[in-house]
């Protein structure tokens, strides 16, 4: 069974600084999908970034980028130029195939401090 | 595009009653819908997967007779919590999966329903 681990329950960062959230996962699959979701206080789940395992290039979306290390089964999220609106829970997630369920990690609560 | 709605957003009911939560994909047809449960300060736990016209697949430990899922159309899935008890109080989130663009079925999440059972 696939599992997703986030070892940082809470993190904080100064506004405009950079922060990295960690995620590791366990799977025997070779092809799969990885995601970072943001859940702000409104509790609406928002897709931040996704990575397809067969792609070696790390995904980037504006201020958000990932460091995907397939052999190490590591998938960290870097947020650059942190903004107050980045304050939220961040969930790392795994999906085995395109039609499969999404498995979420326990989450990291990120606070951006003015 | 790709909007998922849930109704109601909040519901309070008495212990022993049943509550129905609707999940609709507003501008696309969803091949699959998923129901999650989230307790305060915890992650999303998948309860069940439903495909239009077929029985839902429940995750281990989820009582299928208590959490009834009906997926009547490609745009509507309902979750009915039967004989609700205070321990069923939680935040319920649905997602709808569709191949809209790109290389995979993306999941789009509803805004969630907060259920409080008194």
């Amino acid at each position: 069974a696939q599992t997703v681990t986030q070892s940082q329950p809470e993190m904080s960062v100064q506004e405009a600084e950079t922060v990295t959230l960690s995620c590791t996962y366990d799977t025997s699959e070779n092809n799969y999908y990885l995601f970072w979701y943001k859940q702000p206080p409104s509790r609406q789940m928002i897709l931040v970034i996704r990575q397809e395992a067969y792609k070696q290039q790390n995904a980037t979306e504006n201020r958000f980028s990932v460091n995907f290390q397939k052999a190490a089964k590591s998938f960290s999220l870097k947020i650059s130029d942190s903004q107050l609106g980045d304050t939220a829970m961040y969930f790392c997630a795994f999906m085995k195939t395109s039609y499969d369920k999404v498995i979420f990690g326990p989450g990291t609560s990120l606070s951006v401090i003015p | 595009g790709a909007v998922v709605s849930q109704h109601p957003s909040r519901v309070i009911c008495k212990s022993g009653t049943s509550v129905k939560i609707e999940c609709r994909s507003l501008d696309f047809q969803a091949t699959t819908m998923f129901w999650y449960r989230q307790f305060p300060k915890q992650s999303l736990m998948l309860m069940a997967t439903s495909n239009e016209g077929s029985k839902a697949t429940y995750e281990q430990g989820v009582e299928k007779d208590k959490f009834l899922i009906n997926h009547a159309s490609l745009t509507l899935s309902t979750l009915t919590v039967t004989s609700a008890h205070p321990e069923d109080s939680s935040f319920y989130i649905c997602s709808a999966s569709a191949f809209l663009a790109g290389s995979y079925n993306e999941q789009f999440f509803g805004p969630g329903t907060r259920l409080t059972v008194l």
Side-chain angles (χ1 to χ4, degrees), chain A residues 85-101:
Chain A
D86 295 333
T87 292
M89 281 291 291
Y90 286 82
F91 295 100
C92 179
F94 172 99
M95 185 168 72
K96 187 169 63 174
T97 69
S98 181
Y99 298 91
D100 207 353
K101 59 191 177 187

Side-chain angles (χ1 to χ4, degrees), chain B residues 7-56:
Chain B
H7 179 79
S9 58
R10 289 174 175 262
V11 57
I12 301 173
C13 70
K14 293 183 178 180
S15 185
T17 61
S18 294
V19 174
K20 180 184 285 188
I21 302 170
E22 290 187 349
C23 176
R24 293 182 184 272
S25 55
L26 298 184
D27 49 5
F28 67 100
Q29 292 185 328
T31 51
T32 305
M33 288 186 170
F34 302 86
W35 286 95
Y36 297 86
R37 184 174 181 176
Q38 186 180 32
F39 290 109
K41 299 189 183 300
Q42 293 189 22
S43 186
L44 282 71
M45 297 301 295
L46 180 67
M47 299 175 66
T49 302
S50 73
N51 294 290
E52 184 259 343
S54 61
K55 289 185 177 180

Side-chain angles (χ1 to χ4, degrees), chain A:
Chain A
Q2 289 78 23
T3 58
V4 180
T5 302
Q6 295 176 250
S7 59
Q8 306 150 316
E10 295 182 356
M11 294 191 72
S12 61
V13 62
Q14 291 289 138
E15 192 174 8
E17 296 295 308
T18 295
V19 64
T20 298
L21 279 57
S22 301
C23 172
T24 57
Y25 58 93
D26 186 30
T27 184
S28 58
E29 303 292 328
N30 187 47
N31 292 319
Y32 46 86
Y33 302 87
L34 295 165
F35 309 90
W36 279 98
Y37 283 92
K38 169 184 178 181
Q39 188 180 42
S42 68
R43 303 192 79 169
Q44 172 72 57
M45 296 293 287
I46 301 167
L47 177 63
V48 175
I49 200 167
R50 65 174 176 263
Q51 175 82 41
E52 291 147 294
Y54 69 86
K55 291 185 177 179
Q56 292 187 334
Q57 186 173 7
N58 289 325
T60 298
E61 287 287 342
N62 301 315
R63 298 183 294 107
F64 300 88
S65 62
V66 298
N67 183 2
F68 173 48
Q69 300 290 325
K70 190 174 183 179
K73 298 180 182 176
S74 170
F75 183 61
S76 61
L77 174 70
K78 185 171 80 172
I79 306 174
S80 304
D81 185 26
S82 296
Q83 300 175 0
L84 297 179
D86 295 333
T87 292
M89 281 291 291
Y90 286 82
F91 295 100
C92 179
F94 172 99
M95 185 168 72
K96 187 169 63 174
T97 69
S98 181
Y99 298 91
D100 207 353
K101 59 191 177 187
V102 174
I103 298 168
F104 289 90
T108 295
S109 176
L110 177 68
S111 297
V112 180
I113 303 167

